[in-house]
Amino acid sequence: MQTNDIAKIVGENLKAARKAKGFTQAQMAKELNKYQPDYSEYENGIIELDYQKIVYLCNLLDITPNDLFGF
């Protein structure tokens, strides 16, 4: 599996978890001190999340890193 594939899987799972919690991309971006278009790039697999963001988002969305990575 290539890094691109992992980033896309993480992005898709992030999007699903966000929607399940009823958050908008704008709300998520604000939580990360980002602009909405920047946050969108996480969900589209263009930009990879760093460790701190993974932990923060998992706590915020009540998911585990395994959920995020699709394990």
Side-chain angles (χ1 to χ4, degrees):
M1 187 175 286
Q2 303 223 340
T3 303
N4 257 5
D5 297 334
I6 296 169
K8 292 220 180 275
I9 290 168
V10 168
E12 290 169 6
N13 292 336
L14 180 61
K15 182 178 183 177
R18 172 182 61 79
K19 286 185 171 192
K21 291 296 261 184
F23 292 129
T24 65
Q25 283 190 349
Q27 289 170 314
M28 297 295 290
K30 186 175 180 181
E31 284 288 329
L32 296 173
N33 294 317
K34 299 274 184 191
Y35 294 107
Q36 182 276 325
D38 296 331
Y39 175 80
S40 177
E41 291 184 345
Y42 292 127
E43 287 190 1
N44 289 313
I46 297 168
I47 298 175
E48 294 180 26
L49 295 165
D50 62 43
Y51 297 125
Q52 289 177 320
K53 285 183 186 71
I54 290 169
V55 171
Y56 183 80
L57 290 171
C58 286
N59 285 326
L60 179 67
L61 298 171
D62 295 322
I63 60 174
T64 67
N66 284 348
D67 297 329
L68 193 60
F69 284 91
F71 294 134

